[in-house]
C-alpha cells in the first residue's frame, strides 16, 4: 500500500483544514474553486506534505494572535499562498520564482 498522498488528496485535506481555520462559516460547496486552486498550486510547485502542514500551523497561529480578524472575499487564496511561501522558505529555502507562485 502506497502511503504517499496525491496532489488531489493533499489539496482536499489542506482545503478542509484551511477552511476551518480561515473561513469557518463557508459552505462546503463554496470551497470547490479554492480546492481546485490548491490542487493546481500543489501540483505545479510539488510542495511536500510537511510544508503544507507548517503552512496550516502558521495560519492557526495567526488566527490565535488576531482572533477578531476575518478575511474578505478571495483572501483565502492570498493567505494560503503566503503561508506556503513562508513554510517553504523556513523548511527548504527553495527559491520558486514569482511566476511559479502566480500560476
Amino acid at each position: 500500500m502506497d502511503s504517499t498522498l496525491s496532489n488531489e488528496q493533499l489539496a482536499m485535506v489542506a482545503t478542509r483544514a484551511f477552511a476551518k481555520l480561515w473561513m469557518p462559516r463557508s459552505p462546503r460547496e463554496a470551497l470547490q474553486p479554492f480546492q481546485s486552486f490548491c490542487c493546481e498550486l500543489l501540483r505545479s510547485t510539488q510542495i511536500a506534505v510537511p510544508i503544507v502542514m507548517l503552512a496550516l500551523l502558521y495560519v492557526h497561529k495567526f488566527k490565535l494572535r488576531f482572533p477578531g480578524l476575518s478575511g474578505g472575499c478571495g483572501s483565502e487564496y492570498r493567505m494560503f499562498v503566503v503561508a506556503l511561501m513562508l513554510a517553504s522558505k523556513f523548511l527548504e529555502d527553495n527559491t520558486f520564482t514569482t511566476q511559479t507562485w502566480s500560476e
Side-chain angles (χ1 to χ4, degrees):
M1 180 174 176
D2 188 11
S3 63
T4 60
L5 290 173
S6 70
N7 286 330
E8 293 81 16
Q9 292 169 321
L10 183 57
M12 183 180 68
V13 169
T15 302
R16 288 183 182 170
F18 184 85
K20 293 256 188 229
L21 294 168
W22 190 250
M23 39 192 193
R25 291 179 285 290
S26 292
R28 181 173 272 185
E29 57 274 359
L31 297 178
Q32 186 55 44
F34 181 61
Q35 184 171 335
S36 297
F37 169 80
C38 289
C39 186
E40 181 58 28
L41 179 66
L42 297 175
R43 184 201 59 74
S44 65
T45 57
Q46 294 296 302
I47 288 189
V49 174
I51 294 173
V52 175
M53 295 300 114
L54 182 59
L56 293 171
L57 178 64
Y58 285 163
V59 173
H60 173 68
K61 288 184 176 244
F62 186 80
K63 285 297 283 188
L64 288 177
R65 177 76 169 95
F66 303 101
L69 183 70
S70 62
C73 181
S75 66
E76 64 273 16
Y77 297 91
R78 293 182 298 274
M79 186 61 158
F80 189 63
V81 169
V82 168
L84 283 174
M85 290 171 75
L86 291 172
S88 177
K89 181 71 173 169
F90 181 77
L91 290 178
E92 294 185 349
D93 200 16
N94 285 340
T95 53
F96 291 114
T97 64
T98 305
Q99 182 180 1
T100 302
W101 288 111
S102 69
E103 293 174 350

